[in-house]
């Protein structure tokens, strides 16, 4: 029997239908993501599953004594509670169960044949086991640390920001481990390290989960089933986001020609996702195998760990090589920049140049100074040290507070402040409705006041307005917050087609991987590392380096290593290797350009229809394989060169 079963459920608000005779069920161990446009009914479905929203028809059937808990968008806490008290408040039942278990164990030690005590002991034990609550104190400490709440644990919960309070509520729910956990955008207000911890915890603890998320990597790693809410009905797809893309595209192919545009978006998205995952898997495959083998060798040979660590650092270094500098216009020249906010140092000794076609993502943990750096670039904050030279150019800025919007104006007044109904977008004269339709707004929204729109709708309007501005650079602070996946796809397409520079702050790994060509990574030592690799790959490398450091530390702590002096081998590069060292970087750059051209062709129906989709895909695959071979060859020669120089 399913834990919960919704049969022929219907729901409407006044004359607007939200759900029409939908069926939905959750089995134990399933992790179901609910996908759909904002306003399609995702949150309505979640509230019906939770049992806190009445429906107009159908049945909601649940298993007896089912415990369903939901993460509220605005969590409520007891007045005066500290952060730690708020986390522990939801665990009273578990703590009482553990106390009773200890009492029963003591009583049974004196009367071990008492059937009534034995039955209760077994029942309480099973309850604690189900919630995995034996080592609850350790788990509390671990989750407080990973959600960056340790510094606030004795602080009043009322003094925390909305995002911090959401982290407290999420921590408490995860520790409670209900029969079904409902999460609405759980990765909002979490940095990538917190998201990674959340992913690992959900998988390790085998949660039964129903969730809404726009984080496509999170969906792909966590979801066992995808449910799309569209046109008042539900459609089920097996697996996570990548499976959803493939199966949705297949379904749309069976529909009328009016869906061609959506099919094109899905096709491009699916091709990008498949290429990205395939490339990462291929790059990481050998590295992962070596890491696994090291775990066995580590007990006797810590030198191998050090060698692997050097290889990974060299691989990261390869991505950080400066690309060939052309005659692009300089927008910002940053010299020895330092930033301090209050008494907290955020950044020191940062020097870089930002050029007219750079697409940069600023990434790092919460509170590291990413938004502060944006304010310094915008001239809204004076540097503590160093200087920022700025060229002559115009800036389009999108912030988390949507400061460009006026709540008292309707959409027509917002886009046409001087009257009329036309708007200019990158040289094209468009009707306002024709333009806003691309951002999923129906015609009736044109007369709506901005102030009555939801947070997600305001974000869409702000982004749509931003792309009507004639600017040289776009600066966006957390642009994907409160957006659904279809709108994020539109944003990605607009940014891809933008001819100027782009600087974004984002925790969305998928979005950053897809858009950014360069990373500014905030480090723990208050410096910024520049990298040209994909963000998800950088995180993989960083994680593996940490694992190697832990392994090496454990081996060195276990026993002293006997150092054996060997006769030094005379190493030198062969003539062929010297020639390859000179030529390979140029070959790799040329292959990158060819791969980019093939990807552009795959995204252009005219191009791939003329040449043939199969032929283009095969050529791309061959180029990517050759690219990987050349990169590996270069890394091996560089490694040998480094050994010679030591």
């Amino acid at each position: 029997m399913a834990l919960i079963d919704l049969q022929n459920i219907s729901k409407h608000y006044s004359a607007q239908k939200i759900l029409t005779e939908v069926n939905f069920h959750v089995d134990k161990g399933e992790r179901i993501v609910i996908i759909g446009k904002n306003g399609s009914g995702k949150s309505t479905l979640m509230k019906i599953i939770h049992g806190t929203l009445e429906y107009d028809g159908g049945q909601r059937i649940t298993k007896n004594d089912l415990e369903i808990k939901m993460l509220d968008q605005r969590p409520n806490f007891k007045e005066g509670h500290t952060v730690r008290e708020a986390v522990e408040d939801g665990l009273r039942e578990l703590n009482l169960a553990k106390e009773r278990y200890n009492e029963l164990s003591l009583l049974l030690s004196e009367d071990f044949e008492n059937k009534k005590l034995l039955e209760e002991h077994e029942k309480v034990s099973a309850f604690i086991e189900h919630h995995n609550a034996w080592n609850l104190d350790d788990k509390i400490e671990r989750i407080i640390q990973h959600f960056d709440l340790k510094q606030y644990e004795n602080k009043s919960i009322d003094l925390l920001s909305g995002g911090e309070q959401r982290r407290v509520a999420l921590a408490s729910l995860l520790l409670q481990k209900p029969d079904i956990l409902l999460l609405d955008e759980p990765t909002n207000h979490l940095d990538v390290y917190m998201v990674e911890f959340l992913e690992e915890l959900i998988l390790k603890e085998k949660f039964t989960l129903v969730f809404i998320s726009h984080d496509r990597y999170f969906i792909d790693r966590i979801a066992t089933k995808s449910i799309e809410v569209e046109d008042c009905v539900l459609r089920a797809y097996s697996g996570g986001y990548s499976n959803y893309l493939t199966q949705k595209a297949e379904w749309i192919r069976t529909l009328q020609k009016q869906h061609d545009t959506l099919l094109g978006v899905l096709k491009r998205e699916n091709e990008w996702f498949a290429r990205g995952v395939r490339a990462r898997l291929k790059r990481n495959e050998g590295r992962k195998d070596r890491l696994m083998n090291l775990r066995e060798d580590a007990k006797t040979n810590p030198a191998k760990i050090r060698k692997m660590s050097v290889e990974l650092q060299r691989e990261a270094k390869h991505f950080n090589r400066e690309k060939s500098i052309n005659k692009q216009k300089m927008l910002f020249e940053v010299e020895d920049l330092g930033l301090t906010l209050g008494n907290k140092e955020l950044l020191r000794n940062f020097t870089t140049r930002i050029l007219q076609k750079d697409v940069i993502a600023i990434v790092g943990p919460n509170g590291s100074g990413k938004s502060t750096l944006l304010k310094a670039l915008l001239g809204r904050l004076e540097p503590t040290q160093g200087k920022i030279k700025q060229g002559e150019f115009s800036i389009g800025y999108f912030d988390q507070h949507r400061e460009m919007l006026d709540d008292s104006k309707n959409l027509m007044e917002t886009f046409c402040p001087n009257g009329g109904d036309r708007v200019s977008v990158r040289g094209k004269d468009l009707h306002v409705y024709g333009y806003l339709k691309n951002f999923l707004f129906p015609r009736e929204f044109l007369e709506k006041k901005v102030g009555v729109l939801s947070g997600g709708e305001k974000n869409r309007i702000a982004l749509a307005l931003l792309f009507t501005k004639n600017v040289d650079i776009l600066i966006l602070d957390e642009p994907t917050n409160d957006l659904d996946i279809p709108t994020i796809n539109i944003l990605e397409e607009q940014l891809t087609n933008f001819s100027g520079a782009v600087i974004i702050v984002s925790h969305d790994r998928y979005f950053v991987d897809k858009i950014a060509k360069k990373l500014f990574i905030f480090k723990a030592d208050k410096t910024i590392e520049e990298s040209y690799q994909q963000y998800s790959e950088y995180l993989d490398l960083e994680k593996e380096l940490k694992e190697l450091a832990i392994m090496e530390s454990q081996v060195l702590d276990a026993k002293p290593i006997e150092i054996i002096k060997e006769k030094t081998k005379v190493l030198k590069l062969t003539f062929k290797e010297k020639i390859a060292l000179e030529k390979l970087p140029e070959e790799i750059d040329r292959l990158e350009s060819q791969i980019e051209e093939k990807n552009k062709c795959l995204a252009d129906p005219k191009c791939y229809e003329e040449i043939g989709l199969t032929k283009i895909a095969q050529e791309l695959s061959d180029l990517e394989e050759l690219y990987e071979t050349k990169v590996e060859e270069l890394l091996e020669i560089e490694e040998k060169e480094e050994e010679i120089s030591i």
Side-chain angles (χ1 to χ4, degrees):
M1 177 186 169
L3 297 180
I4 186 166
D5 197 5
L6 305 184
Q7 298 180 357
N8 300 317
I9 294 289
S10 294
K11 178 66 183 175
H12 68 270
Y13 294 105
S14 300
Q16 185 181 1
K17 291 181 180 180
I18 305 297
L19 300 171
T20 304
E21 296 186 353
V22 302
N23 296 301
F24 178 89
H25 70 274
V26 183
D27 291 326
K28 185 176 180 180
E30 282 193 306
R31 298 185 297 273
I32 302 172
V33 62
I34 302 174
I35 294 172
K37 293 187 290 190
N38 284 344
S40 62
K42 300 190 300 292
S43 296
T44 298
L45 178 59
M46 285 276 275
K47 289 173 185 174
I48 292 173
I49 296 167
H50 189 215
T52 51
L53 182 67
E54 292 294 324
Y55 42 91
D56 302 313
Q59 277 187 301
R60 178 180 178 272
I61 303 167
T62 64
K63 188 180 176 182
N64 289 338
D65 302 321
L66 187 71
E67 187 182 32
I68 307 177
K69 296 200 173 179
M70 183 171 177
L71 177 64
D72 294 324
Q73 290 287 352
R74 293 188 179 87
N76 292 315
F77 301 97
K78 289 185 178 176
E79 191 174 345
H81 262 192
T82 64
V83 166
R84 193 172 189 96
E85 287 169 341
V87 170
E88 294 177 344
D89 187 52
L91 308 176
R92 283 177 298 172
E93 192 176 359
L94 289 174
N95 283 320
L96 287 171
K98 289 180 73 176
E99 288 175 14
R100 182 57 180 161
Y101 176 84
N102 292 332
E103 290 171 4
L104 290 167
S105 298
L106 188 61
L107 291 169
L108 281 168
S109 67
E110 299 170 356
D111 186 8
F112 59 86
E113 291 185 353
N114 188 317
K115 287 186 178 180
K116 188 175 179 182
L117 289 177
L118 281 168
E119 286 176 5
E120 187 182 356
H121 186 271
E122 188 177 336
K123 185 178 179 182
V124 173
S125 177
F127 178 77
I128 297 170
E129 184 70 36
H130 171 71
H131 291 85
N132 199 10
W134 294 111
N135 56 340
L136 203 51
D137 290 338
D138 291 342
K139 289 175 72 174
I140 290 170
E141 191 64 30
R142 185 163 168 257
I143 206 166
I144 283 177
Q145 290 278 7
H146 278 280
F147 279 170
D148 196 25
L149 297 170
K150 187 68 179 174
Q151 58 185 314
Y152 307 123
E153 67 175 329
N154 297 315
K155 191 175 180 180
S156 172
I157 192 75
D158 301 324
L159 299 177
L160 268 61
S161 69
E164 290 162 348
Q165 288 187 3
R166 283 254 303 174
R167 296 210 301 269
V168 173
L170 178 58
S172 184
L173 278 178
L174 291 167
L175 288 163
Q176 292 170 50
K177 199 188 175 189
D179 295 319
I180 298 178
L181 180 58
L182 306 178
L183 300 177
D184 190 349
E185 295 291 359
T187 62
N188 274 4
H189 310 291
L190 302 185
D191 63 33
V192 291
Y193 303 103
M194 297 175 191
V195 172
E196 185 180 72
F197 169 73
L198 176 61
E199 290 171 348
E200 290 173 356
L201 184 64
I202 287 170
L203 295 173
K204 182 182 176 184
E205 299 278 349
K206 296 180 171 60
F207 277 85
T208 300
L209 180 68
V210 181
F211 66 103
I212 297 169
S213 180
H214 69 257
D215 186 327
R216 289 157 287 182
Y217 281 152
F218 181 77
I219 293 171
D220 211 55
R221 188 171 183 203
I222 295 300
T224 58
K225 183 195 290 185
S226 302
I227 299 291
E228 184 175 36
V229 187
E230 188 175 43
D231 298 330
C232 305
V233 300
L234 307 184
R235 289 186 197 88
Y237 303 91
S238 62
Y241 185 66
S242 54
N243 282 12
Y244 159 75
L245 286 172
T246 304
Q247 295 167 44
K248 173 79 172 179
E250 286 294 331
W251 179 76
I252 290 178
R253 282 192 188 97
T254 66
L255 299 182
Q256 300 170 357
K257 206 169 182 178
Q258 66 191 46
H259 293 284
D260 282 353
T261 302
L262 179 55
L263 180 58
V265 171
L266 276 168
K267 187 171 185 177
R268 288 194 297 275
E269 177 80 344
N270 194 24
E271 286 165 351
W272 184 89
F273 188 89
R275 284 197 307 275
V277 170
R278 188 171 64 246
R280 284 197 304 280
L281 286 174
K282 194 170 181 181
R283 277 194 296 270
N284 294 344
E285 196 173 52
R287 203 167 66 215
K288 292 285 187 185
D289 288 341
R290 281 177 284 168
L291 193 60
M292 292 302 106
N293 292 334
L294 273 174
R295 296 189 190 283
E296 294 302 317
D297 295 341
K299 297 173 185 176
T300 57
N301 196 347
K304 285 192 177 182
I305 300 173
R306 172 53 51 193
K307 185 175 184 294
M308 180 68 175
S309 180
V310 170
E311 285 178 7
L312 289 182
Q313 288 168 349
R314 188 178 296 112
E315 189 170 339
K317 190 178 178 182
H318 162 74
F319 282 108
N320 295 342
R321 288 205 314 267
E322 193 70 35
K323 301 291 182 182
S324 58
I325 298 171
N326 54 27
K327 295 181 179 179
Q328 289 185 47
K329 177 183 176 184
M330 193 274 292
L331 302 181
F332 294 101
E333 188 164 1
V334 180
E335 294 181 11
D336 198 29
L337 182 66
L339 296 172
T340 301
L341 206 57
N343 295 321
K344 184 179 179 182
E345 184 185 27
L346 300 174
L347 179 63
R348 64 168 74 115
N349 304 328
F350 179 47
T351 298
T352 192
R353 291 189 301 169
I354 298 173
L355 306 177
Q356 69 185 104
K357 291 189 177 180
D358 278 343
V359 182
I360 299 167
I362 303 174
V363 296
N366 279 347
S368 55
K370 302 182 296 296
S371 296
T372 306
L373 176 57
L374 287 190
K375 289 175 183 174
L377 292 174
L378 288 163
R380 300 183 180 191
L381 183 73
E382 283 295 320
T384 311
Q385 70 174 54
K387 56 187 176 181
I388 301 173
K389 295 179 184 177
Q390 184 174 325
E392 291 293 325
F393 59 89
S394 55
I395 298 174
Y397 176 52
F398 173 90
D399 73 321
Q400 298 178 55
H401 307 293
R402 300 178 286 264
E403 62 181 37
M404 67 176 73
L405 299 181
D406 184 341
D407 284 352
S408 67
K409 293 182 178 178
N410 64 30
L411 268 57
M412 285 295 292
E413 293 168 330
T414 299
F415 284 85
C416 304
N418 300 318
D421 58 7
R422 313 292 292 184
V423 63
S424 178
V425 182
R426 289 197 290 271
K428 293 182 180 179
D429 185 49
L430 304 172
H431 190 276
V432 173
Y433 169 61
Y435 175 58
L436 288 181
K437 188 168 63 172
N438 295 327
F439 287 84
L440 310 179
F441 282 103
R443 187 181 291 274
E444 56 267 24
F445 268 68
L446 293 179
E447 300 303 323
K448 278 192 175 186
K449 298 285 187 184
V450 170
V452 305
L453 301 180
S454 68
E457 288 166 344
K458 284 184 178 179
N459 265 11
R460 273 191 279 156
I461 286 297
L463 288 168
L465 186 60
L466 183 67
F467 288 113
T468 65
K469 308 298 182 185
N470 185 20
V471 295
D472 299 298
I473 181 170
L474 293 173
I475 297 180
L476 301 96
D477 193 357
E478 293 289 1
T480 64
N481 276 2
D482 296 319
L483 295 184
D484 51 30
I485 291 174
T487 310
I488 296 175
N489 283 329
I490 293 166
L491 170 61
E492 289 165 350
E493 194 167 351
Q494 293 284 339
L495 289 174
T496 301
N497 293 330
F498 181 66
S499 59
V502 177
I503 302 176
I504 55 174
V505 166
S506 181
H507 292 301
D508 188 328
R509 298 159 295 176
Y510 188 102
F511 176 71
V512 172
D513 276 357
K514 196 170 180 183
I515 296 301
K517 296 176 182 174
K518 185 177 182 180
L519 303 177
F520 286 171
I521 306 162
F522 272 79
K523 308 293 286 185
D525 62 357
K526 316 301 181 188
T527 63
I528 285 180
E529 176 183 343
E530 295 187 44
S531 174
Y532 288 92
Q533 69 198 114
Q534 286 198 322
Y535 190 30
S536 57
E537 180 154 357
Y538 167 82
L539 292 169
D540 285 341
L541 279 167
E542 183 183 51
K543 185 178 179 182
E544 288 165 18
L545 284 166
K546 285 178 182 176
E547 287 178 16
L548 288 168
I550 292 168
M551 287 165 62
E552 185 178 27
S553 174
Q554 288 170 343
V555 173
L556 292 171
D557 289 345
K559 62 176 182 179
I561 303 302
E562 185 181 348
I563 300 173
I564 302 172
K565 292 185 178 180
E566 296 181 359
K567 187 178 179 181
T568 306
K569 294 179 181 178
V570 179
L571 292 176
K572 64 178 182 178
L573 292 182
T574 66
F575 178 74
K576 185 178 178 182
E577 286 170 335
K578 288 178 181 177
I579 297 297
L581 191 61
E582 292 178 5
K583 292 188 174 181
L584 278 172
E586 293 178 8
E587 289 183 40
I588 289 168
D589 285 343
R590 187 170 66 253
L591 286 168
E592 284 177 345
S593 299
Q594 291 173 346
I595 288 169
E596 187 177 351
E597 286 175 12
K598 298 297 179 188
N599 284 329
K600 284 180 181 177
C601 187
L602 278 172
D604 182 359
K606 288 183 180 177
C607 181
Y608 67 68
E609 284 172 6
E610 181 180 335
I611 300 173
L613 188 59
T614 304
K615 185 179 178 183
I616 290 290
Q618 184 58 52
E619 288 173 350
L620 177 60
S621 177
D622 293 341
L623 283 169
E624 287 175 336
E625 188 174 345
L626 182 59
Y627 173 83
E628 298 298 334
T629 302
K630 294 293 184 183
V631 168
E632 285 295 325
E633 186 181 346
L634 179 61
L635 287 171
E636 286 174 8
I637 297 172
E638 286 180 339
E639 181 182 340
K640 186 175 177 181
E641 184 184 38
E642 187 167 319
E643 287 175 0
I644 293 169
S645 64
I646 292 174

